[in-house]
Amino acid sequence: MMGPGDVVRFSFRSLTGFRTRTALMVIAMAIGVGAVVVLTALGEGARRYVVNEFSSLGSNLIIVFPGRTETGGNVPGMLVGRSPRDLTLEDAVAVLRSRHVTRIAPLNIGSAYLSRGRLNREAPVLGTTHEFRDIRRLEMDRGNFLPPADPTKAQSICIIGQTLAKELFPNEEPIGQWLRIGDRRFRVIGILGAKGRSLGFDTDELAIIPVASAQQLFNQPSLFRILAETRHRESLDTARDEIRRIIKDRHEGDEDVTVVTQDAVLATFDRILRTLTLAVGGIAAISLAVAGILTMNVMLVAVSQRTAEIGLLKAIGASRRQIRSLFFTEAALLSACGALVGLLLGAVGILIIRQLYPAFPAAAPAWAVGAAVLTAALTGVGFSVMPARRAARLDPVIALAKR
Amino acid sequence: MISLAGIDRSFQVGDQTVDALADVNLDIGAGEYLSIMGPSGSGKSTLLNIVGLLDRPTGGVYKLDNRDVTRLTDEEQARVRREKIGFVFQAFHLVPRLTALENVSVPMMLSGIAISERRQRAAKSLEDYGLGDRMDHRPSQLSGGQRQRVAMARATIMHPPVLLADEPTGNLDRASGREVVGLLERLNASGVTLIVVTHDPELGRRARRQLHMVDGRINADNVLQK
Ligand SMILES: Nc1ncnc2c1ncn2[C@@H]1O[C@H](COP(=O)(O)OP(=O)(O)OP(=O)(O)O)[C@@H](O)[C@H]1O
Ligand SMILES: [Mg+2]
């Protein structure tokens, strides 16, 4: 009987013998596979990006914000005539009463005009305390961060990002200088390190002032967030429940704040982005299906063109089994080629994305790569082997007569 | 060695049944030289195809070397075609993308003969057919006569005891035709059973046994006495 070497050699000669067809099929499959790889890499990249952003925040984090967003608790509509209570600085300090919480940072945020002489620009302004720097793992370029102080005391000091420093103080050292934020004057005491984008804030364009100053500046007594850090990861859930109880007690028994752990937020994002990847993968799968249909058509034409060849092979002594194995091998080689080129194409695509957006960790998940290759293999092999089997079953004369 | 008894072959065309062969009885001994002639549509090709196991009769029994070959499995039939029968077609039927050498090698590949032996045997055979300098040419780069000689090299490479030729000179000019016939007859002289279907009376008369067919039946079977 024919050895595997013969089968592969003969099939390979068929592929090189029909160059246009082979090239067409390889391209079709490669595009399908490549699309799946690149698109799922985008989805997966988005997921990783968010996960990275969160983990750069520190992982033992609990976030408190006003209003109740979780379902299943008190329905806000039931609290007739009462608007949701403010989340106050006192609440923030009270959170420290939990044994598991090591430090907290109250957060207030707004947008204001920053001006220095004739230079001015709008920028996000963050009100917080000394502890924020450690919780957010912020690097300083030079100068100092907010000093430890009573959070309820307003102070006229600020820390600014690199871009702000360059734009507002083009020719002088900003530290020690006065800067107008809104209608108040603040002395610059520090410059943030270049960190770039982090969870929605470009720290290079951020100004940070004491939380009490921000409350006055924006005339907003309620906090935007309270960040609380626990000593251990294990105590996160206990700490969350304690914080919830502490604030509930302070709010006369109303559970009108949301307390979530960083992990919970992360898990939600993770879930959303996984779904996104899946959806994008689905779209890519359509292109793979189109490639499959193209493959099918080309193969059907090819096999009917080659029915005469099949008849001839039978006439000179090939059995059905031999013809099947020849065509199977040919299709397998073709699919493998298509899948390989597709993977290469995908890899190049991912490389280009990474070049363009270095911060974006694009990477195709293994399941998507596996599914794409498998689909390419199944369509290629399925669509060529089926008609070849049918042709192999014909009597040689009938097959030979086909043109 | 070839024995046909009550062979029928009918084709269903629409709701009409065409009897291409009707009750054909024929015995052919080893080493015979047979020509089959007759008007177009008389069933010559159909008969040859059945003898060559390219087609199946709708009725009757075909024995090759005392073995009923119409009831064989696909695998066994393939083996018989490979080892016992060589077929030469009017239209050559070479694989266009393969070289002459590769075309001749295909039957050996199907039999699982090692590649080195294949090359050697195919090259030797092509040289015997005067194509030593055309081995790496594809069919489209060869003349009709050269193609038919490649086809003959392929048909004989497994040394089959039976050689069937359906109008082997039909697509050739006189000179090439004569050459091919000479080669066929030389094979017959070495003991191969040769059956040639032809329209050419001159070629037909060269055979020692001459069949004449009309309407799917054999109506004359003349054996020349020497
Ligand atoms: N596949 C087929 N389907 C239907 N009818 C067929 C088929 N093959 C052959 N026939 C019919 O069978 C009859 C015999 O055909 P065959 O090819 O054997 O004739 P032939 O003697 O070889 O003719 P020619 O000399 O023209 O080659 C013809 O009437 C033909 O129409
Ligand atoms: Mg004919």
Side-chain angles (χ1 to χ4, degrees):
Chain A
M1 277 290 106
M2 270 185 309
D6 287 333
V7 176
V8 171
R9 211 172 299 121
F10 189 88
S11 307
F12 189 73
R13 288 289 275 123
S14 306
L15 291 178
T16 52
F18 297 97
R19 282 217 175 89
T20 324
R21 177 176 74 90
T22 304
L24 202 69
M25 304 278 291
V26 167
I27 290 169
M29 273 188 222
I31 289 175
V33 171
V36 171
V37 169
V38 169
L39 289 178
T40 52
L42 284 176
E44 176 71 6
R47 194 183 69 80
R48 286 195 190 181
Y49 180 73
V50 168
V51 170
N52 287 349
E53 288 286 292
F54 270 97
S55 33
S56 75
L57 261 179
S59 53
N60 312 341
L61 217 56
I62 294 172
I63 303 161
V64 185
F65 50 95
R68 180 113 187 112
T69 56
E70 279 173 76
T71 52
N74 286 351
V75 183
M78 300 278 281
L79 311 164
V80 186
R82 259 197 258 172
S83 58
R85 223 175 309 262
D86 289 345
L87 191 59
T88 63
L89 267 178
E90 288 71 36
D91 289 334
V93 174
V95 165
L96 269 176
R97 288 212 300 264
S98 162
R99 277 174 300 113
H100 300 286
V101 174
T102 50
R103 52 188 166 211
I104 58 132
L107 238 62
N108 217 330
I109 197 163
S111 183
Y113 265 99
L114 276 59
S115 56
R116 164 78 182 173
R118 286 189 320 280
L119 300 171
N120 71 83
R121 62 164 290 163
E122 198 179 2
V125 176
L126 195 73
T128 186
T129 59
H130 173 71
E131 285 76 16
F132 181 73
R133 180 181 169 193
D134 291 328
I135 292 177
R136 281 286 307 253
R137 315 260 190 274
L138 281 185
E139 297 286 337
M140 293 300 291
D141 184 62
R142 54 193 192 271
N144 300 309
F145 197 70
L146 298 171
D150 176 1
T152 57
K153 274 241 274 300
Q155 275 180 287
S156 295
I157 51 175
C158 72
I159 293 96
I160 56 176
Q162 304 250 322
T163 312
L164 291 182
K166 261 177 230 134
E167 288 188 6
L168 296 173
F169 302 91
N171 303 315
E172 53 186 335
E173 171 56 40
I175 290 180
Q177 303 294 333
W178 287 91
L179 176 68
R180 185 168 282 281
I181 301 179
D183 54 1
R184 286 156 197 266
R185 276 155 41 91
F186 292 83
R187 189 194 289 278
V188 179
I189 60 165
I191 311 292
L192 289 170
K195 194 182 179 190
R197 187 154 278 282
S198 170
L199 200 66
F201 290 121
D202 188 341
T203 53
D204 289 346
E205 302 197 350
L206 193 66
I208 297 176
I209 58 176
V211 64
S213 309
Q215 284 179 321
Q216 294 169 6
L217 187 68
F218 300 122
N219 192 24
Q220 170 61 273
S222 181
L223 294 174
F224 171 68
R225 294 278 187 278
I226 300 170
L227 302 181
E229 199 176 53
T230 63
R231 199 183 317 274
H232 309 291
R233 247 185 119 66
E234 295 73 44
S235 51
L236 264 178
D237 287 345
T238 339
R240 181 195 57 207
D241 295 340
E242 277 184 16
I243 292 171
R244 208 174 264 158
R245 205 167 45 244
I246 289 167
I247 298 185
K248 187 176 170 182
D249 283 349
R250 291 182 48 81
H251 289 192
E252 293 153 2
D254 290 339
E255 217 171 284
D256 57 0
V257 295
T258 303
V259 184
V260 289
T261 59
Q262 164 103 349
D263 285 359
V265 178
L266 194 58
T268 307
F269 267 107
D270 195 60
R271 212 163 39 239
I272 292 170
L273 289 163
R274 258 182 218 286
T275 313
L276 179 82
T277 306
L278 219 65
V280 169
I283 294 167
I286 294 172
S287 76
L288 197 61
V290 172
I293 290 167
L294 187 65
T295 308
M296 178 176 74
N297 280 318
V298 176
M299 275 299 191
L300 284 177
V301 171
V303 171
S304 58
Q305 274 174 351
R306 291 174 70 190
T307 301
E309 184 185 324
I310 291 175
L312 174 66
L313 287 175
K314 282 197 84 169
I316 60 179
S319 64
R320 265 181 231 168
R321 207 162 50 87
Q322 287 177 319
I323 288 169
R324 279 200 304 262
S325 81
L326 286 174
F327 272 75
F328 175 84
T329 309
E330 187 180 325
L333 281 175
L334 192 66
S335 301
C337 231
L340 211 72
V341 174
L343 289 180
L344 224 69
L345 222 64
V348 169
I350 290 172
L351 218 70
I352 290 172
I353 293 171
R354 283 196 182 152
Q355 287 292 319
L356 292 179
Y357 309 100
F360 191 79
W367 62 262
V369 173
V373 169
L374 202 72
T375 314
L378 288 183
T379 48
V381 171
F383 291 145
S384 62
V385 169
M386 293 300 285
R389 284 176 84 100
R390 225 180 308 125
R393 232 174 281 140
L394 296 174
D395 281 320
V397 253
I398 299 170
L400 262 176
K402 295 240 165 92
R403 269 278 150 212
Chain B
M1 83 181 302
I2 293 169
S3 160
L4 302 173
I7 294 289
D8 293 318
R9 179 64 169 108
S10 51
F11 292 100
Q12 199 70 38
V13 180
D15 45 33
Q16 208 183 338
T17 308
V18 180
D19 290 315
L21 291 178
D23 192 25
V24 170
N25 297 286
L26 183 62
D27 282 286
I28 302 169
E32 277 199 74
Y33 179 8
L34 222 86
S35 70
I36 305 176
M37 291 192 283
S40 192
S42 55
K44 308 181 293 293
S45 295
T46 308
L47 179 60
L48 203 66
N49 288 338
I50 285 175
V51 172
L53 292 182
L54 305 188
D55 196 4
R56 262 172 305 186
T58 30
V61 176
Y62 169 20
K63 284 187 179 163
L64 182 62
D65 287 338
N66 290 322
R67 192 155 158 233
D68 186 348
V69 287
T70 48
R71 310 230 182 292
L72 298 180
T73 64
D74 176 76
E75 201 76 47
E76 290 166 329
Q77 272 197 5
R79 193 185 180 85
V80 171
R81 284 189 207 115
R82 207 155 57 215
E83 294 175 353
K84 299 230 164 138
I85 297 164
F87 217 108
V88 178
F89 307 87
Q90 177 179 356
F92 320 134
H93 287 315
L94 299 172
V95 182
R97 66 197 145 76
L98 299 182
T99 64
L101 192 81
E102 288 169 326
N103 264 290
V104 176
S105 299
V106 173
M108 291 189 281
M109 178 191 84
L110 295 171
S111 313
I113 292 171
I115 188 156
S116 51
E117 186 187 340
R118 275 183 345 228
R119 293 194 68 82
Q120 197 192 326
R121 267 170 70 175
K124 169 93 171 50
S125 169
L126 282 170
E127 265 160 30
D128 290 348
Y129 282 98
L131 292 165
D133 52 347
R134 292 283 186 276
M135 292 196 230
D136 295 323
H137 290 219
R138 278 200 294 278
S140 59
Q141 299 162 329
L142 297 172
S143 75
Q146 289 168 334
R147 283 183 221 182
Q148 196 60 302
R149 280 184 278 153
V150 174
M152 285 184 57
R154 183 182 63 192
T156 54
I157 195 73
M158 297 298 292
H159 304 302
V162 179
L163 195 57
L164 309 175
D166 193 349
E167 301 185 34
T169 61
N171 282 357
L172 303 179
D173 63 39
R174 271 197 127 23
S176 320
R178 210 167 294 140
E179 209 173 351
V180 166
V181 170
L183 291 167
L184 287 171
E185 290 180 351
R186 217 165 60 211
L187 285 163
N188 174 245
S190 71
V192 174
T193 310
L194 176 64
I195 306 176
V196 181
V197 166
T198 183
H199 277 290
D200 180 354
E202 196 186 315
L203 170 55
R205 271 196 298 273
R206 297 176 66 91
R208 282 187 295 281
R209 185 175 171 191
Q210 297 160 14
L211 298 188
H212 196 268
M213 292 188 71
V214 175
D215 286 343
R217 290 165 200 278
I218 298 171
N219 77 337
D221 184 348
N222 302 317
V223 181
L224 287 191
Q225 310 295 332
K226 280 217 172 156

